[in-house]
Amino acid sequence: MLNLDTFKTFSRAFAFGAVAVSAIAFSGTAKAAPVQLFPLFAPPPGYAAPQPQFQPFQPFQPAYQQPYQASPSEDQDAVEMPARFRRQTVSYATREAPGTIVIDTPNTYLYYVLGNGQAIRYGIGVGRDGFTWSGVQSVTKKAEWPDWTPPPEMIARQPYLPRHMSGGPGNPLGARAMYLGGTIYRIHGTNAPNTIGQRVSSGCIRLTNEDVTDLYSRVNVGTKVIVLPQTDRRADLSR
């Protein structure tokens, strides 16, 4: 049978041992190795516990956006007009009254007579071979951004043409039109300014939209228009 004194001695020894273990566990310097609470799950040799990665504070950055690029200016697409076809005031000897229009077909110029030996000269496009004409007419009608209805003669030659086209930037009559007498011909603008100085029309006289707008502001219904005949003489580039 267990002796009572022996049991008490054993209990005191056990308690003293527990206190000693606790003192060892919680004493010593910071360099002491930590007690492994779960030695059965000890990490393998060479294992290093991952360290948390702390990113430095970054200010808010909005999502990247493609910088705005303006569309090309219309001026970049403008045709560079030869100097001789640019609108200008020139010396022009004539007996015609101020306000008269003279179409110089062979040199592809239109003159608006100012009087006192001067005129405003515009570069123009004229009828192609076989479609030039000459004579004296008058302006019988004016229209801004006119509609275009090709005459039957033109439809017969070019059946692919539209039967009617409303006025606007895409209309071949351009920004303004001045109708000549009872003919099918007009002085009008164009959406193809590169044709100024050329012989490409079916008999109409074409100017750039800027020039036809300027001429339109000067011309009245009833204005006299003289169309000079085409000749074999080449255009005088020095004029």
Side-chain angles (χ1 to χ4, degrees):
M1 177 175 291
L2 179 62
N3 186 285
L4 181 58
D5 293 335
T6 302
F7 177 77
K8 292 179 179 179
T9 300
F10 176 79
S11 298
R12 290 190 189 99
F14 181 81
F16 176 79
V19 172
V21 170
S22 299
I24 293 171
F26 292 99
S27 66
T29 63
K31 295 181 181 179
V35 177
Q36 293 182 357
L37 301 180
F38 302 99
L40 294 179
F41 298 96
Y47 173 81
Q51 298 297 319
Q53 300 294 323
F54 296 98
Q55 299 293 334
F57 175 75
Q58 297 290 340
F60 173 72
Q61 297 289 340
Y64 174 77
Q65 296 182 352
Q66 183 71 22
Y68 173 76
Q69 294 181 350
S71 58
S73 168
E74 292 182 1
D75 292 339
Q76 295 176 351
D77 299 327
V79 174
E80 184 65 24
M81 189 71 63
R84 74 187 190 94
F85 291 136
R86 295 173 189 164
R87 182 172 75 246
Q88 55 195 290
T89 300
V90 297
S91 297
Y92 189 68
T94 181
R95 294 181 180 177
E96 300 297 336
T100 302
I101 292 175
V102 180
I103 307 294
D104 184 351
T105 305
N107 288 305
T108 61
Y109 292 140
L110 181 151
Y111 292 93
Y112 178 79
V113 178
L114 296 175
N116 297 321
Q118 291 192 315
I120 301 175
R121 189 179 74 186
Y122 305 81
I124 60 174
V126 298
R128 60 186 182 273
D129 290 344
F131 289 88
T132 58
W133 59 283
S134 61
V136 178
Q137 294 290 339
S138 63
V139 174
T140 53
K141 177 184 174 182
K142 297 172 60 180
E144 299 184 9
W145 295 105
D147 294 344
W148 180 45
T149 303
E153 302 93 321
M154 187 177 290
I155 293 293
R157 295 191 303 268
Q158 300 167 287
Y160 54 84
L161 292 176
R163 284 2 182 210
H164 180 80
M165 182 179 290
S166 297
N171 192 302
L173 295 186
R176 304 287 187 270
M178 289 153 276
Y179 297 77
L180 302 180
T183 72
I184 61 173
Y185 303 121
R186 291 151 289 210
I187 298 171
H188 63 78
T190 179
N191 55 19
N194 58 305
T195 60
I196 299 302
Q198 300 185 26
R199 296 167 174 78
V200 294
S201 78
S202 295
C204 287
I205 308 301
R206 61 176 65 178
L207 297 83
T208 64
N209 282 334
E210 182 180 359
D211 282 355
V212 79
T213 300
D214 179 84
L215 179 64
Y216 185 94
S217 68
R218 303 174 187 276
V219 169
N220 298 314
V221 171
T223 292
K224 181 180 180 181
V225 179
I226 301 171
V227 181
L228 302 179
Q230 173 67 34
T231 67
D232 294 333
R233 180 170 60 88
R234 292 187 177 184
D236 182 4
L237 300 183
S238 65
R239 293 181 59 183

